[in-house]
Amino acid sequence: MMPFDPTTLRYNDAGLIPAIAQDANSYEVLMLAWMNAESIAKTLETGRVTYWSRSRQAFWIKGATSGHVQELVDLRFDCDQDCLLLLVKQTGPACHTGRQSCFYRAVRQGEIKELSAPV
């Protein structure tokens, strides 16, 4: 094995990389957020998933205010090194709407279908 250095990943012009959070047990896709090299390092150091909030321009530790914590199980990156997959143990809903997943809507036969209600 070789040591991991977050700065070797491919970030966009804003220094960010998309991070997909997936439940480590069910494999349900929970959400997509953004990380930078420092938030990745903080996540690996603490085990608590830390994102970069583009709107607040600040670090965002998932669950710090809601209690809906994401505990890192595994951090993976794709073949181009420009996207992350975070396998997490999710406590409570992942979505700010109170749903388990942010991906609770689908397009079916040209219509929007709501797949789940808030927990």
Side-chain angles (χ1 to χ4, degrees), residues 22-66:
Q22 184 177 37
D23 187 283
N25 293 318
S26 70
Y27 297 110
E28 179 179 19
V29 175
L30 301 174
M31 57 180 280
L32 177 129
W34 295 89
M35 299 178 90
N36 60 21
E38 192 173 350
S39 66
I40 294 168
K42 287 177 183 287
T43 297
L44 291 171
E45 178 184 318
T46 65
R48 299 255 332 254
V49 180
T50 303
Y51 297 105
W52 178 255
S53 170
R54 295 177 300 166
S55 59
R56 293 186 299 257
Q57 293 292 296
F59 292 108
W60 159 42
I61 301 170
K62 181 68 175 164
T65 56
S66 69

Side-chain angles (χ1 to χ4, degrees), residues 28-119:
E28 179 179 19
V29 175
L30 301 174
M31 57 180 280
L32 177 129
W34 295 89
M35 299 178 90
N36 60 21
E38 192 173 350
S39 66
I40 294 168
K42 287 177 183 287
T43 297
L44 291 171
E45 178 184 318
T46 65
R48 299 255 332 254
V49 180
T50 303
Y51 297 105
W52 178 255
S53 170
R54 295 177 300 166
S55 59
R56 293 186 299 257
Q57 293 292 296
F59 292 108
W60 159 42
I61 301 170
K62 181 68 175 164
T65 56
S66 69
H68 303 156
V69 176
Q70 287 180 351
E71 180 184 330
L72 184 67
V73 174
D74 200 19
L75 187 147
R76 301 176 184 184
F77 52 91
D78 72 336
C79 56
D80 293 325
Q81 295 184 245
D82 62 359
C83 185
L84 301 176
L85 177 63
L86 309 174
L87 296 177
V88 300
K89 178 182 174 191
Q90 177 71 45
T91 301
C95 184
H96 74 281
T97 66
R99 291 170 175 85
Q100 183 61 25
S101 169
C102 292
F103 297 94
Y104 63 90
R105 292 177 282 204
V107 178
R108 305 263 168 88
Q109 299 176 339
E111 302 288 329
I112 297 171
K113 176 168 174 57
E114 192 166 299
L115 304 174
S116 65
V119 182

Side-chain angles (χ1 to χ4, degrees), residues 10-17 34:
R10 294 180 55 210
Y11 299 89
N12 67 15
D13 292 341
L16 301 174
I17 188 169
W34 295 89

